[in-house]
Amino acid sequence: MRIYLDHNATTPLAPSVADAMAQAMREDFGNPSSVHYFGQRAKRRVDDARSAVAALLGGTPAEVVFTSGGTEADNLALRGAAEARAASGRRHLIASAVEHEAVLNTLKALTRLGWRTTLLPVDASGIVSPAALADVIDDETAVVSVMHANNEIGTLQPVTDLAAIAHEHGALFHTDAVQSTGKLSIDLSALGVDLLSLSGHKFNGPKGVGALWIRRGVRLSAIQTGGRHERNRRAGTENVPALAGLGVAADLASRTLSEHASRFATLRDRLEAGILSGVSGAVVNGDCARRVPNTSNISFDGIEAESLLIALDLEGIAVSTGSACSSGTLEPSHVLRAMGLPHQRVQSSIRFSLGAGNTVEQIDRVIIELPAIVRRLRDLTRASGRSAAAGMAAARRDA
Ligand code: PLP
C-alpha cells in the first residue's frame, strides 16, 4: 500500500473532475468565442466554471479571471497591479519573506525593472505582524502581497488586519490563497483583499489551470496581450477541458469543505501526536493553532530531511522536504530560515500534507514505521561517520 502525504505539492484528480474533463474534450471542442452552437456549448462550460469558482470564494463570476495556474495568477496580480499603478507614482511593492517563489521571483523581476520592493520579516512561527507592515508601507506602495496559508508549514497570516493597513495607505492587497482554497472556507468580504490567487491542482482539480479573483473596480494591466478574452484581462483561447475540471473541483470543494477540513485536522493531529510521542527529538515547525488543517511540518533532530524522504519513499510513504519547487535541490527552505530556525532544524524538516484519500489506517502505518526508520538513519550516521544521505542513496541503489 502506497501512502500519499504530499497534497500541498499536488492532489489527485477527483473522479468527477476527470469525467467532466474527458467529456469536455470529447464533446465541447468549440471555441468559446464563436457564436455558433459549438462555440456556445464550450462557452457554457467556461461560464459554469466561473460561477463555481466565484461561489467557492463568495465573489461574483465577473470578478474571476482564469489563468494557467497559481504562478500566473500571482504574476498577473503583481505585474498587472504594479504596471497599472506606476503612472500615479506608486512604484513600491511589499511581500512577506515566506511567499512562494511565484511571488518572490516576480518581485525580483519587478525590482530589476525599477520597482522598489520590501520583504516583511516573520516571527519564529512564520507569521507577519501587522506592525511590521505599518512600519514599511508608504504612500508610494502600490501592492502588498501576503499569502493566506504557507505551502511549507501551513501557517495562516492575519490577512484581514494586513489588508486594512494596506488600504489605509491606498495600496492594493493581494493574497496567494493557493494553499488555503478548498481547505478552508474563504470569505472574501471578511478577508478584505483586492486580489486572490488560486490553483486547480491543489484541490483535486487539474494542473495548469487557476484563477485570479479581482475585486470589482480594481484596475489591472494585462500581462498577456492578444484577444479580448477574460474581459481584456488575460488573452488566449480558453482551455475548456481544464476549466470544466476546475469548475467541478470548485463545486466539489464548496460542498465537501467543512467535512474535509475536520477530517484533515483529526488525521493530521493523530499523525503529529503519534510522531511526537514515538520519535525523540521531533519538533513541529510553525504555528500549531493558526494553520490549514492538512499540514504538519516536523524537524527530526540529527536527520537529513532528504535521507528521511528517500527512506520513507522506499517504504511506500510519499512526503516532501519544503516546497515541491525546491525539493531535490537540497536548497534550505527560505521559509524556515526566515523564521530564524537553526540550520540543523531547517535541514531536518519534513512536510506531511494530507488529502481526501488518506485514512486512519494509513496514518497509523506511518506512526508505526517512522520511529524505526529514524532510528536506523541515526544509527547509520553515527556508526559509519558518513552522511546519512550517502547511506540512503546507497540503500536506494541497492533496492
Ligand atoms: N503559490 C503557492 C503558495 C503554492 O504552493 C504554489 C504551488 O506549489 C503556487 C503558488 C504555484 O501554483 P501552480 O503550481 O498552479 O503554478
Side-chain angles (χ1 to χ4, degrees), residues 239-285:
N239 183 347
V240 178
L243 290 173
L246 178 67
V248 172
D251 190 42
L252 197 61
S254 295
R255 286 185 285 111
T256 56
L257 199 108
S258 60
E259 183 224 317
H260 276 181
S262 69
R263 219 167 65 79
F264 292 166
T266 305
L267 289 178
R268 192 266 318 269
D269 293 348
R270 184 183 182 98
L271 176 71
E272 215 163 63
I275 292 175
L276 295 184
S277 68
V279 182
S280 63
V283 49
V284 177
N285 299 315

Side-chain angles (χ1 to χ4, degrees), residues 8-9 69-71 74 100 102 147 149 151 176 178-179 199 201-202:
N8 286 9
T71 300
D74 287 344
H100 188 269
M147 68 206 312
N151 43 309
D176 175 336
V178 165
Q179 291 292 349
S199 172
H201 73 107
K202 306 293 186 177

Side-chain angles (χ1 to χ4, degrees), residues 235-377:
T237 301
E238 298 84 347
N239 183 347
V240 178
L243 290 173
L246 178 67
V248 172
D251 190 42
L252 197 61
S254 295
R255 286 185 285 111
T256 56
L257 199 108
S258 60
E259 183 224 317
H260 276 181
S262 69
R263 219 167 65 79
F264 292 166
T266 305
L267 289 178
R268 192 266 318 269
D269 293 348
R270 184 183 182 98
L271 176 71
E272 215 163 63
I275 292 175
L276 295 184
S277 68
V279 182
S280 63
V283 49
V284 177
N285 299 315
D287 188 303
C288 290
R290 285 179 287 175
R291 60 182 167 162
V292 278
N294 79 320
T295 306
S296 177
N297 187 302
I298 302 182
S299 290
F300 296 87
D301 190 33
I303 296 282
E304 281 181 38
E306 289 289 320
S307 315
L308 184 50
L309 182 147
I310 293 168
L312 285 168
D313 191 39
L314 289 169
E315 298 300 326
I317 300 166
V319 297
S320 150
T321 60
S323 66
C325 306
S326 49
S327 66
T329 62
L330 292 179
E331 182 75 15
S333 152
H334 70 282
V335 174
L336 301 185
R337 276 188 299 158
M339 289 157 62
L341 300 189
H343 180 74
Q344 204 284 323
R345 189 158 152 195
V346 173
Q347 292 296 83
S348 65
S349 93
I350 289 283
R351 177 182 73 184
F352 302 86
S353 50
L354 281 63
N358 292 135
T359 61
V360 174
E361 292 70 32
Q362 292 180 343
I363 296 304
D364 287 349
R365 208 188 109 200
V366 178
I367 292 171
I368 290 167
E369 297 209 3
L370 194 62
I373 295 172
V374 169
R375 237 187 344 267
R376 205 169 73 231
L377 286 173

